[in-house]
Structure formats: structure tokens, C-alpha cells
Amino acid sequence: MPAEVDKPAKMNLTLIVLDEPTPAFGAVFTTNAFPGAPVLVGRERLREPTLGAVVVNNKVSNVCAPGGVEASERLCAEVARGLGLSATQVLPSSTGVIGWRLPVDAMVGAVPAAVASLDPRSVLPAAEGIMTTDLYPKVRRASVGQGSIVGIAKGAGMLEPNLATMLVYLLTDVDVPRDALRASLRSVAAKTFGCISVDSDTSTSDTVAILSSRQVPCLSLEQFESALKRVCADLAEDLVRNGEGVHHVMRVRVHGAPDEAMARGIGKSVVNSPLFQCAVNGNDPNVGRLVMAIGKYVGAHHPGMDLSRCTLRMGGRVILQQGTFRLDHETERTLVAHMKEAELYASVAPADGLTFQPPVKWPPHERAVEIDVDLGLGPAACTVLGSDRSHEYISENADYRS
């Protein structure tokens, strides 16, 4: 039970353990200026020669809590004792309510059972254990030469990188040198997890970690990074599709931009517009809000940029060309149909009249509302994934602690 409230909560303590500590590990963390204690400890762990385990808890994120760093270090020390490691070979992660203290005594008491329950046959229990408001566990895998990369992730709300309310753990048997592994992770994270958003809020606890057991030779760093990008891109889309109250995934491809940063900024402006999010949720192709979101970003960050060559498409249908809308009854019907086809579920009226809840536990498909923005100004491009704004999102976040 958290010390701050009289509300019992079942917490999961999850361990990810290598057969032997490895020097080939890396991580990227949140840019939020109020990072959680595990992030502070994790940044220090990057200086260590080897890493052998990760310990993760849900429900309480251990952010700005009294004695937070000490609590994380105590937990790491207890895990290390159970595994025959040193405390500095254990990476901590916490996710959940911000501000509450970890029930560290109870957690320490649970470590022996967690160690005893380690199972080398499947990563699924770990993917399930790290969930909070997630509807389902997220696991992805890619082969690379004779080896593979497996990734698990959690995250549903407060999801806007760099990074998001997400924890991602990537495990590989491919022997990539430490510096190259970290460089690949930074590059891939920026292109995948750095291009998603559910609600534009950057969490205090985000962590993406990678560990290699170094069992399989790396024949091509390029192939390894390509496989890593595939795993991370799939997990990134899973995170958005499983976002709190998400009915629609939006895929915004911005191209013809002078540089990638501009393309990413425009894409995020579109997916983070509350008005456009609400329109998408209602299967209402109110494309004026799409134009507004693009123009808002350009006006604020690139004033004077000429958008007269901009072409917009939704579902493959041209809706604006050379600064003028191309709309009619048929286009309107086509856009509505496209949005309905991308809908994951429709809201169900709550029995209590108050709390909307998703009527599904798994996404029924992988379709998205497809938006194409061609600026006609340059060679750069970026694809951003986002989501709509729903009754379920409001219910989840209004009632999250109560």
C-alpha cells in the first residue's frame, strides 16, 4: 500500500537477468527535467563496466519521492544479493503514479520469490509484469544473421517522446561492441520512439535499454541496426495502438521538407492537436483542423515559409492542393469511410453513466488513419504516429488514482 494514500494496489516486481554480466549494454532516458530516481541511478549505471540484470516495478514511479534514490539502490542491492551480482550491475526501472514512495520493505521481501520464478523459456511473463494501464503485453522479435533481437515494452499514456511514459527492454545475442550498440540504440530510438505521441506529455520515467549476451558474432552492423529498427518501430506502433483510450492510430507522413526536424515537428503538431484528435475520434474528416495544425507549427517555427506548393492527402485522397481545398460530397464520404475502417472500437455507454472503458483487450487490426503532407520544399521526410482523443482517455486519466 502506498504511504501517501489509503488504497491497496497490487504491484508486480519483474526481473530480466542475463546468464553472465555483459559489457555490451546501453540505455536512453527521458529528457524530462524532473526525472525519476531510477533514471538518475540508470544514468550512473551507464558508466559501469558490466550489467547483469534489470529490476522493474509498476504502480509507483518513484519520482521526486523522499529517499527515492536510496530506495532504488536498496532494491538493486537486494536483487544483486539474490543473483550473485554487485548492486551496480543491476538497472532499476519504475513506472506508475508520480509522487508516491516505493513500498521498499515489501519489495525487498518479494525479491527471493522473483528470483526463484525466473524462467528462460519465454519473455511474455516479463512483458505482462511491466504493464500498468496497458490493455495487452507488447513483444516483438527480429532475426539478424544467426542471432535475434527481442523487445518488450509498456506504455499507454503520458506518451510523447523524447521519450514517452514507456519502458522498453531490448535483448539480443548478437555480439555488438558497447560503443556501437549504444550508437545504434540512440539512432534507432530517435527514428522510432522519438516519432510517436498519444497526448504530448513527456514522462519522468522513460527508459529504453538494450543488453547483449554476445553469444553470436555480428557479421554486419548495418544488418543489426536494421533489425533493431524493425523491432523498435513495431513496438512504437504497438505503444500508440495500445494508448489509453485510443480508437484510431494516425500515421502522418510528412515529406518534401527542407530538413527532418521540420518534418517531425509538423507531424507532431498534427497528431497532438486536441481539436483534430477529437475530430478523428468522431470519424469526422474536419480537415480544416488538419490545415490549422500544420499552419500553427509553421507560423510559430518557420514564419514566412511558402506553403503554396503543399499537397495534403487523407486515405490517399487529395484534400488540398496549391493552397486550395479539393472537397466535395464524394470526398467527404470517402474520408468518413476511411476513418471508420481505421477505428479499433466504438465507445460503449458506461453502466455507471460515468466511466468509459475500452470494450476490447486486443487491437482487432493494424490499420491507421493515413495522412500525407507533401510540402514540396525539399528532400527530407519523417513519419509520426499518434492517436485520437476519446471518452475512455478522459475516464482513465480522471480516475487514474481514485
Side-chain angles (χ1 to χ4, degrees):
M1 181 180 295
E4 289 77 9
V5 294
D6 185 20
K7 178 184 177 183
K10 182 181 179 181
M11 175 184 285
N12 294 329
L13 193 68
T14 302
L15 297 180
I16 301 171
V17 182
L18 275 67
D19 290 339
E20 298 288 340
T22 179
F25 72 94
V28 292
F29 301 101
T30 182
T31 59
N32 193 299
F34 275 119
V39 171
L40 297 174
V41 174
R43 288 171 179 164
E44 293 299 317
R45 293 291 192 266
L46 292 179
R47 299 187 175 95
E48 297 297 326
T50 60
L51 193 73
V54 180
V55 57
V56 189
N57 73 270
N58 62 0
K59 300 301 182 183
V60 178
S61 64
N62 192 14
V63 176
C64 297
V69 169
E70 292 79 6
S72 285
E73 290 285 18
R74 182 183 168 197
L75 182 61
C76 287
E78 188 64 23
V79 169
R81 191 171 72 85
L83 296 172
L85 302 172
S86 68
T88 55
Q89 290 176 314
V90 180
L91 176 73
S93 292
S94 297
T95 183
V97 174
I98 294 172
W100 290 353
R101 283 167 283 176
L102 289 179
V104 68
D105 289 338
M107 295 170 71
V108 165
V111 168
V115 171
S117 66
L118 286 168
D119 187 348
R121 294 171 298 178
S122 174
V123 76
L124 182 59
E128 293 172 333
I130 63 177
M131 291 165 53
T132 49
T133 58
D134 309 59
L135 291 177
Y136 60 90
K138 288 160 281 293
V139 182
R140 292 286 182 164
R141 179 186 181 278
S143 297
V144 50
Q146 297 300 310
S148 64
I149 303 170
V150 175
I152 63 174
K154 71 75 49 180
M158 204 184 291
L159 194 60
E160 156 92 50
N162 297 306
L163 299 168
T165 281
M166 63 181 188
L167 302 178
V168 178
Y169 305 102
L170 302 158
L171 310 173
T172 183
D173 51 6
V174 180
D175 186 8
V176 179
R178 177 183 180 125
D179 289 346
L181 189 71
R182 293 182 175 186
S184 291
L185 180 65
R186 288 192 297 269
S187 174
V188 166
K191 296 172 183 175
T192 55
F193 301 119
C195 294
I196 62 174
S197 181
V198 165
D199 49 24
S200 82
D201 284 339
T202 301
S203 168
T204 56
S205 303
D206 316 333
T207 299
V208 180
I210 188 167
L211 301 90
S212 170
S213 63
R214 307 179 65 200
Q215 298 299 304
V216 178
C218 180
L219 302 180
S220 168
L221 184 58
E222 183 178 359
Q223 288 181 7
F224 175 82
E225 189 165 313
S226 177
L228 181 63
K229 185 177 180 182
R230 193 157 64 249
V231 170
C232 292
D234 287 344
L235 286 173
E237 184 160 345
D238 288 341
L239 289 169
V240 176
R241 200 169 300 278
N242 188 203
E244 290 169 351
V246 170
H247 288 216
H248 300 79
V249 173
M250 289 186 275
R251 191 190 325 273
V252 182
R253 180 173 183 263
V254 183
H255 54 110
D259 57 65
E260 186 176 341
M262 180 190 294
R264 181 183 294 108
I266 289 174
K268 286 200 171 183
S269 184
V270 170
V271 302
N272 285 332
S273 164
L275 284 173
F276 190 59
Q277 288 176 324
C278 290
V280 171
N281 179 254
N283 294 314
D284 177 12
N286 190 340
V287 294
R289 295 177 179 180
L290 171 60
V291 169
M292 173 278 299
I294 296 169
K296 176 179 71 173
Y297 178 84
V298 172
H301 299 279
H302 305 280
M305 192 175 85
D306 182 12
L307 291 178
S308 63
R309 285 177 283 178
C310 180
T311 299
L312 304 183
R313 293 177 175 84
M314 182 184 292
R317 187 95 175 192
V318 174
I319 57 176
L320 181 138
Q321 199 166 36
Q322 294 181 337
T324 303
F325 279 116
R326 302 285 190 256
L327 302 175
D328 53 33
H329 291 301
E330 182 185 355
T331 299
E332 185 85 5
R333 287 192 294 270
T334 300
L335 297 182
V336 170
H338 174 66
M339 298 170 91
K340 287 184 175 180
E341 286 176 357
E343 192 170 33
L344 293 166
Y345 63 87
S347 292
V348 175
D352 63 2
L354 298 172
T355 307
F356 283 83
Q357 294 182 332
V360 298
K361 290 295 184 183
W362 297 89
H365 59 74
E366 294 190 343
R367 295 188 290 274
V369 176
E370 305 287 351
I371 298 167
D372 185 276
V373 181
D374 183 358
L375 299 175
L377 295 173
C382 184
T383 298
V384 175
L385 296 174
S387 64
D388 58 359
R389 188 66 58 92
S390 68
H391 298 294
E392 290 78 10
Y393 177 86
I394 301 301
S395 288
E396 179 69 52
N397 287 287
D399 302 333
Y400 181 55
R401 300 198 315 158
S402 59

